[in-house]
PDB file of all heavy atoms in Angstrom:
ATOM      1  N   VAL M 924      98.486 105.309 104.667  1.00  0.00           N
ATOM      2  CA  VAL M 924      97.591 105.630 105.641  1.00  0.00           C
ATOM      3  C   VAL M 924      97.601 107.098 106.167  1.00  0.00           C
ATOM      4  O   VAL M 924      96.575 107.719 106.438  1.00  0.00           O
ATOM      5  CB  VAL M 924      97.714 104.531 106.874  1.00  0.00           C
ATOM      6  CG1 VAL M 924      96.895 104.990 108.147  1.00  0.00           C
ATOM      7  CG2 VAL M 924      97.490 103.225 106.588  1.00  0.00           C
ATOM      8  N   VAL M 925      98.792 107.637 106.183  1.00  0.00           N
ATOM      9  CA  VAL M 925      98.937 109.005 106.573  1.00  0.00           C
ATOM     10  C   VAL M 925      98.352 109.888 105.445  1.00  0.00           C
ATOM     11  O   VAL M 925      97.652 110.888 105.739  1.00  0.00           O
ATOM     12  CB  VAL M 925     100.458 109.415 106.756  1.00  0.00           C
ATOM     13  CG1 VAL M 925     100.716 110.900 106.829  1.00  0.00           C
ATOM     14  CG2 VAL M 925     101.015 108.733 108.024  1.00  0.00           C
ATOM     15  N   ALA M 926      98.604 109.586 104.199  1.00  0.00           N
ATOM     16  CA  ALA M 926      97.948 110.317 103.101  1.00  0.00           C
ATOM     17  C   ALA M 926      96.492 110.298 103.121  1.00  0.00           C
ATOM     18  O   ALA M 926      95.772 111.332 102.743  1.00  0.00           O
ATOM     19  CB  ALA M 926      98.506 109.714 101.823  1.00  0.00           C
ATOM     20  N   ASP M 927      95.817 109.141 103.525  1.00  0.00           N
ATOM     21  CA  ASP M 927      94.296 109.105 103.606  1.00  0.00           C
ATOM     22  C   ASP M 927      93.985 108.302 104.870  1.00  0.00           C
ATOM     23  O   ASP M 927      93.889 107.066 104.826  1.00  0.00           O
ATOM     24  CB  ASP M 927      93.822 108.415 102.328  1.00  0.00           C
ATOM     25  CG  ASP M 927      92.250 108.376 102.315  1.00  0.00           C
ATOM     26  OD1 ASP M 927      91.725 108.869 103.225  1.00  0.00           O
ATOM     27  OD2 ASP M 927      91.826 107.803 101.358  1.00  0.00           O
ATOM     28  N   PRO M 928      93.808 108.940 105.917  1.00  0.00           N
ATOM     29  CA  PRO M 928      93.536 108.314 107.206  1.00  0.00           C
ATOM     30  C   PRO M 928      92.310 107.375 107.192  1.00  0.00           C
ATOM     31  O   PRO M 928      92.065 106.540 108.009  1.00  0.00           O
ATOM     32  CB  PRO M 928      93.346 109.404 108.342  1.00  0.00           C
ATOM     33  CG  PRO M 928      94.152 110.513 107.692  1.00  0.00           C
ATOM     34  CD  PRO M 928      94.019 110.396 106.242  1.00  0.00           C
ATOM     35  N   ARG M 929      91.365 107.817 106.225  1.00  0.00           N
ATOM     36  CA  ARG M 929      90.218 106.932 106.231  1.00  0.00           C
ATOM     37  C   ARG M 929      90.232 105.690 105.373  1.00  0.00           C
ATOM     38  O   ARG M 929      89.363 104.949 105.152  1.00  0.00           O
ATOM     39  CB  ARG M 929      88.956 107.731 105.768  1.00  0.00           C
ATOM     40  CG  ARG M 929      88.560 108.945 106.621  1.00  0.00           C
ATOM     41  CD  ARG M 929      87.500 109.676 106.236  1.00  0.00           C
ATOM     42  NE  ARG M 929      87.816 110.443 105.077  1.00  0.00           N
ATOM     43  CZ  ARG M 929      87.101 111.059 104.195  1.00  0.00           C
ATOM     44  NH1 ARG M 929      85.778 110.948 104.338  1.00  0.00           N
ATOM     45  NH2 ARG M 929      87.534 111.725 103.102  1.00  0.00           N
ATOM     46  N   LEU M 930      91.470 105.470 104.778  1.00  0.00           N
ATOM     47  CA  LEU M 930      91.750 104.398 103.942  1.00  0.00           C
ATOM     48  C   LEU M 930      91.597 103.139 104.688  1.00  0.00           C
ATOM     49  O   LEU M 930      92.166 102.975 105.779  1.00  0.00           O
ATOM     50  CB  LEU M 930      93.079 104.536 103.214  1.00  0.00           C
ATOM     51  CG  LEU M 930      93.650 103.495 102.355  1.00  0.00           C
ATOM     52  CD1 LEU M 930      92.795 103.418 100.979  1.00  0.00           C
ATOM     53  CD2 LEU M 930      95.081 103.708 102.026  1.00  0.00           C
ATOM     54  N   ARG M 931      90.911 102.027 104.172  1.00  0.00           N
ATOM     55  CA  ARG M 931      90.838 100.824 104.783  1.00  0.00           C
ATOM     56  C   ARG M 931      92.143  99.986 104.619  1.00  0.00           C
ATOM     57  O   ARG M 931      92.782 100.106 103.590  1.00  0.00           O
ATOM     58  CB  ARG M 931      89.799 100.021 104.209  1.00  0.00           C
ATOM     59  CG  ARG M 931      88.392 100.503 104.500  1.00  0.00           C
ATOM     60  CD  ARG M 931      87.343  99.598 103.860  1.00  0.00           C
ATOM     61  NE  ARG M 931      85.989  99.866 104.208  1.00  0.00           N
ATOM     62  CZ  ARG M 931      85.321  99.146 105.181  1.00  0.00           C
ATOM     63  NH1 ARG M 931      85.814  98.146 105.711  1.00  0.00           N
ATOM     64  NH2 ARG M 931      84.154  99.541 105.577  1.00  0.00           N
ATOM     65  N   LEU M 932      92.602  99.371 105.509  1.00  0.00           N
ATOM     66  CA  LEU M 932      93.852  98.609 105.477  1.00  0.00           C
ATOM     67  C   LEU M 932      93.883  97.606 104.444  1.00  0.00           C
ATOM     68  O   LEU M 932      94.877  97.301 103.725  1.00  0.00           O
ATOM     69  CB  LEU M 932      94.209  98.040 106.812  1.00  0.00           C
ATOM     70  CG  LEU M 932      94.639  98.875 107.870  1.00  0.00           C
ATOM     71  CD1 LEU M 932      94.912  98.197 109.247  1.00  0.00           C
ATOM     72  CD2 LEU M 932      95.863  99.734 107.601  1.00  0.00           C
TER      73      LEU M 932
END
Side-chain angles (χ1 to χ4, degrees):
V924 173
V925 168
D927 183 1
R929 294 183 294 162
L930 182 67
R931 290 179 171 260
L932 288 179

